[in-house]
Amino acid sequence: MSFYIAGTGSVLPEKVVSNDDLAQFLDTSDEWIFTRTGIRRRHVLTGERLDDLAVAAAEQALSDAGVKGEEVDLILCATMRGDFYTPSLACTVGGAIGSHAPAFDVNAACVGVLYCMEIADSFIAAGKAETVLIVSAEAMSKLVDWTDRASCVLFGDGAGAMVVRKGEGRLSGVLRSDPSFAIHMPNLEGINSPYNQVPQEKLAMVMDGGEVYKFAVNAMGHRIEEACAAAGIAPADVDWYLPHQANVRIIDASLKKYRIPKERVLLNISECGNMSATSVMVLLDQYAKKGTFRRGDKLLFVAFGGGLTSGAVVSVWNRD
Ligand code: ACO
């Protein structure tokens, strides 16, 4: 007995920034960004707070699942950085929905939601929870260097949520880390210790795009094979692929050898860019709301991210 996905939600900031908008202040173009990544535009936080988006997404997911805040046994939030280091974003969401359940944030970069799904599975398997709220929220626009055209054009902001409940659904999950600084973001903001002797690094994200690209294609392919093997299915048996939305070329390259029909590979990258942990969550909610999934369909989530982390989860859609 593991979990099934009982409800989903997602919220994007109002402000939409197109590639042409970026070309107003960066030496770039819609043509370069779209052909290299598949991204046309992304949503960016302006006046909104990330925790407001996270709470709104969580409320949608709870309502979709027909679950009240006080029925939640555990709250997990996948994020690289919430509005505050403490309280965690998970605690803030818990306060807003009237929950006193244990709550904590998980930083596994873009793979955060998959890590949370596996933590939820472990709590449920151990009899410590029956209903888990998983939230993801990322303010990438506040983490990137807006003068670095090779990285800032890739990202967007957003929040999503899912409620998972004890029952039949999850078939397998694999997680991995391959520690590397190929993407890194120093966390020294505001340090004024008179004892500190560590030189302060640039604060924004630094990324070796080529290195990450190679890692991503390899890691996504391996995680797909491992998760399918653990679920006792072949990659061709998966009804819907929900890959991390970092770059459409990475998605195509990592799935190429399985000859998966394009319509079974779900995308929102052209409209949202890379929202880190939130990408697969928003993708799930958008396609769930469109009525794409049928009861019994096999969904495969696969992601890679800073760390470097990677993972895949196979779950059967258990709703009408
Ligand atoms: N506009 C125009 N030109 C650009 C831009 C831009 N926005 N960015 C880079 N260039 C230039 C480069 O300077 C380079 O010029 P040069 O040849 O004169 O030096 C040229 O374009 C080619 O650059 P490449 O890096 O070779 O371009 P590539 O085809 O490899 O694409 C990209 C770059 C899109 C970053 C790709 O490597 C990629 O997607 N990597 C993975 C990144 C990723 O997924 N990161 C997210 C990880 S998860 C996380 O961070 C949470």
Side-chain angles (χ1 to χ4, degrees):
M1 183 71 72
S2 182
F3 67 69
Y4 67 96
I5 298 168
T8 63
S10 65
V11 180
L12 299 172
E14 262 180 41
K15 173 85 175 161
V16 176
V17 177
S18 69
N19 293 342
D20 287 333
D21 294 333
L22 296 180
Q24 304 285 317
F25 63 94
L26 284 171
D27 180 14
T28 191
S29 64
D30 177 56
E31 196 271 334
W32 192 97
I33 300 172
F34 185 70
T35 53
R36 286 279 181 14
T37 69
I39 299 167
R40 285 271 189 226
R41 53 201 132 247
R42 72 285 294 141
H43 292 251
V44 173
L45 287 163
T46 51
E48 310 97 323
R49 284 169 49 134
L50 189 60
D51 51 16
D52 289 335
L53 257 61
V55 168
E59 284 169 345
Q60 272 184 32
L62 288 170
S63 152
D64 189 35
V67 167
K68 295 193 178 67
E70 61 266 26
E71 293 176 83
V72 171
D73 302 314
L74 174 68
I75 303 172
L76 303 169
C77 182
T79 187
M80 290 207 289
R81 198 178 79 180
D83 293 317
F84 300 92
Y85 290 118
T86 192
S88 67
L89 202 39
C91 279
T92 307
V93 169
I97 64 164
S99 169
H100 294 281
F104 57 94
D105 289 354
V106 173
N107 179 357
C110 310
V111 195
V113 166
L114 280 65
Y115 271 66
C116 289
M117 289 167 91
E118 290 301 281
I119 295 169
D121 176 55
S122 301
F123 268 72
I124 291 170
K128 293 184 173 178
E130 294 203 351
T131 301
V132 182
L133 173 63
I134 304 175
V135 182
S136 63
E138 298 279 26
M140 298 307 294
S141 62
K142 296 182 183 175
L143 303 180
V144 296
D145 176 355
W146 283 94
T147 64
D148 177 12
R149 66 177 181 170
S151 60
C152 73
V153 303
L154 305 175
F155 296 96
D157 302 334
M162 67 167 92
V163 174
V164 302
R165 305 198 87 175
K166 184 175 173 180
E168 303 296 339
R170 175 192 169 281
L171 297 181
S172 69
V174 291
L175 301 175
R176 184 180 158 106
S177 68
D178 289 277
S180 155
F181 276 72
I183 311 167
H184 74 277
M185 203 181 306
N187 178 13
L188 297 171
E189 199 173 10
I191 279 201
N192 65 353
S193 163
Y195 304 105
N196 178 42
Q197 293 176 4
V198 179
Q200 187 144 347
E201 271 192 76
K202 193 173 155 188
L203 291 175
M205 174 186 288
V206 182
M207 184 180 77
D208 180 341
E211 250 338 276
V212 176
Y213 191 100
K214 276 185 268 165
F215 167 79
V217 172
N218 194 28
M220 298 248 286
H222 279 112
R223 297 303 85 74
I224 289 168
E225 283 174 13
E226 290 159 5
C228 285
I233 60 171
D237 298 332
V238 171
D239 296 291
W240 304 107
Y241 277 85
L242 292 95
H244 175 45
Q245 309 283 298
N247 183 323
V248 88
R249 290 188 301 149
I250 292 176
I251 296 170
D252 288 348
S254 53
L255 285 168
K256 194 171 163 202
K257 75 173 178 192
Y258 310 117
R259 300 174 187 278
I260 307 296
K262 273 198 174 320
E263 54 279 9
R264 281 161 52 190
V265 181
L266 306 183
L267 299 174
N268 64 8
I269 187 168
S270 69
E271 301 307 304
C272 299
N274 176 353
M275 297 181 288
S276 185
T278 287
S279 277
V280 292
M281 196 79 110
V282 172
L283 192 67
L284 172 72
D285 181 55
Q286 289 175 339
Y287 281 90
K289 280 181 177 144
K290 281 185 201 169
T292 301
F293 312 128
R294 294 277 168 267
R295 184 182 280 277
D297 282 358
K298 292 181 202 69
L299 277 53
L300 186 147
F301 300 85
V302 59
F304 70 93
L308 296 165
T309 52
S310 58
V313 173
V314 182
S315 184
V316 173
W317 189 252
N318 198 352
R319 309 181 63 194
D320 291 319

